C-alpha cells in the first residue's frame, strides 16, 4: 500500500444515499401532482389525478427513483427493493396532506395503489440495474418519469363508464312506526352526547348536523346539513307515511365547500337518492332500513366503489343509530 493510502473505517464512511432516492421520489411525485391539478375541470383537463396514468406511473416512477439512487447494498434483495419505496410513498402522501394538495379521503384511497405499485417500481428498477448498466437504467427511468404526461391525454379522450351502486343498512328499533316516522322526516340537531368516533370521520368526512322539511308530502323539500357547511336539497319523490320515504339528493348550490366535497354530484361521483323503509315486526319491533344510490364515473369504478360503499355504509349506520336512540327514548317516555 502506497504511503497515504488507507482503508476508510466503516464507521466514518459516507452515509448511504438512500435519502437521496426518497427525496427524488417525493419531489417528482409533488411536481406531477401539482401539474395534474392545475386544471380542475374534470371534463376538459388532459391531466387529472383520478386516472390510471397518475395512479400507476407516478408511484411506479416514485419507486424506481428510490431504488435507482439507493446504495447497492440497500437494493440487493427483492424485499428491500419492494419495501424501501414505501418510505417514499409515506413521505409523499404525508407532504401532500400537510400542503392540503389532497383531502384525507383521497389520500386513504390512493395509498394502497401507491404502496403496491411503488414497490413494483422498486423491484423493476432493481432488475434493470442488474441486467443493464446505469446509463441504460437512466434512459428507462426518464421514460417512466414522462409516462404520466404521455398517457394521461390519451386516457382523457376515453369516456368514463357510469356505475350505479346501492348501499343498504338496517337497524332494529323498539318503538312504534309513528315515532320512527317523525324521527326520519325531520332530524333535530344532533347533540354532542349522541356522537361517536366513526370510520367516515377518520377519512375527513364531516358529521351530519340536522335535517329539516318544508312540506309533509311528495314534492316537499328536505334540507340536510353537515359540519363543514356541506348541505343537500332532498326533494321528496315518494311519501308513504309510516312506510316509505324516498328523496333525490342534490348538493345545495349555495354551499361553499373545500375539495373533494365540492365534487359531489360532479364528473366523478354523485349521490342519486335515499330511501327510508319502515317494516313492523311480529314481536312489536320495527326494522328501519336506509338505502342510498350513488354514481361513480371513473376509470376504476370497481376499486372506488369499495371505498364509497364502506364510507356510505358507515355514515348510514351512524344515522340509523341516532334515530334508534331517539325513538326508543321517546317510546320509553310515552
Amino acid at each position: 500500500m502506497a504511503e497515504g493510502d488507507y482503508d476508510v473505517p466503516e464507521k466514518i464512511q459516507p452515509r448511504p444515499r438512500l435519502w437521496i432516492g426518497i427525496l427524488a421520489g417525493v419531489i417528482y411525485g409533488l411536481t406531477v401532482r401539482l401539474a395534474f391539478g392545475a386544471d380542475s375541470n374534470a371534463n376538459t383537463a388532459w391531466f387529472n389525478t383520478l386516472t390510471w396514468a397518475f395512479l400507476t406511473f407516478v408511484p411506479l416512477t416514485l419507486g424506481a427513483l428510490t431504488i435507482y439512487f439507493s446504495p447497492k447494498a440497500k437494493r440487493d434483495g427483492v424485499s428491500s427493493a419492494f419495501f424501501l419505496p414505501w418510505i417514499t410513498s409515506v413521505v409523499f402522501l404525508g407532504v401532500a396532506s400537510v400542503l392540503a394538495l389532497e383531502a384525507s379521503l383521497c389520500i386513504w384511497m390512493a395509498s394502497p395503489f401507491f404502496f403496491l405499485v411503488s414497490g413494483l417500481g422498486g423491484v423493476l428498477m432493481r432488475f434493470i440495474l442488474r441486467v443493464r448498466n446505469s446509463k441504460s437504467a437512466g434512459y428507462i427511468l426518464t421514460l417512466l418519469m414522462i409516462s404520466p404526461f404521455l398517457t394521461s391525454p390519451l386516457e382523457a379522450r376515453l369516456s368514463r363508464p357510469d356505475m350505479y351502486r346501492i348501499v343498504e343498512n338496517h337497524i332494529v328499533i323498539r318503538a312504534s312506526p309513528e315515532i320512527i316516522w317523525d324521527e326520519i322526516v325531520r332530524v333535530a340537531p344532533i347533540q354532542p352526547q349522541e356522537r361517536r368516533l366513526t370510520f367516515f370521520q377518520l377519512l375527513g368526512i364531516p358529521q351530519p348536523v340536522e335535517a329539516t322539511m318544508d312540506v309533509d308530502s311528495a314534492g316537499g323539500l328536505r334540507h340536510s346539513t353537515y359540519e363543514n357547511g356541506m348541505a343537500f336539497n332532498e326533494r321528496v319523490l315518494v311519501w308513504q307515511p309510516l312506510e316509505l320515504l324516498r328523496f333525490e339528493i342534490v348538493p345545495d348550490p349555495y354551499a361553499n365547500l373545500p375539495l373533494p366535497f365540492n365534487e359531489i354530484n360532479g364528473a366523478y361521483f354523485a349521490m342519486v337518492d335515499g330511501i327510508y323503509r319502515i317494516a313492523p315486526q311480529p314481536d312489536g319491533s320495527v326494522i328501519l332500513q336506509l338505502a342510498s344510490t350513488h354514481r361513480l364515473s371513473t376509470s376504476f369504478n370497481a376499486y372506488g366503489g369499495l371505498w364509497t360503499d364502506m364510507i356510505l355504509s358507515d355514515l348510514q349506520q351512524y344515522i340509523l343509530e341516532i334515530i334508534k336512540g331517539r325513538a326508543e327514548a321517546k317510546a320509553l317516555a310515552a
Side-chain angles (χ1 to χ4, degrees), residues 36 39-43 45-51 54 152 268:
F36 271 54
D39 188 350
S40 60
N41 191 331
N43 292 313
W46 281 12
F47 305 107
N48 275 298
T49 56
L50 287 177
T51 57
F54 184 88
S152 184
Y268 299 116

Side-chain angles (χ1 to χ4, degrees), residues 53-76:
F54 184 88
L55 288 175
T56 54
F57 283 113
V58 171
L60 191 72
T61 306
L62 185 148
L65 280 166
T66 302
I67 298 305
Y68 182 81
F69 287 106
S70 295
K72 185 176 183 300
K74 293 289 186 180
R75 65 185 185 226
D76 268 352

Side-chain angles (χ1 to χ4, degrees), residues 14 59 71 168 215 238 259 274:
E168 297 183 358
V215 178
V238 179
L259 283 167

Side-chain angles (χ1 to χ4, degrees), residues 36 42 47-55 102 106 109-110 152 155 160 260 263 267-269 297-300 304:
F36 271 54
F47 305 107
N48 275 298
T49 56
L50 287 177
T51 57
W52 285 117
F54 184 88
L55 288 175
E102 299 288 354
C106 299
M109 292 179 67
S152 184
E155 186 176 346
R160 294 186 297 269
E263 293 293 332
Y268 299 116
F269 173 85
S297 303
T298 71
S299 300
F300 37 89

Side-chain angles (χ1 to χ4, degrees), residues 4 7 74 121 127 144 164 170 203 223 232 257 289 293 305 323:
D7 291 330
K74 293 289 186 180
F127 172 77
L144 286 176
Y164 289 86
H170 67 271
L203 298 181
H223 187 74
F232 296 95
L257 299 173
Q289 181 192 63
T293 303
I323 294 172

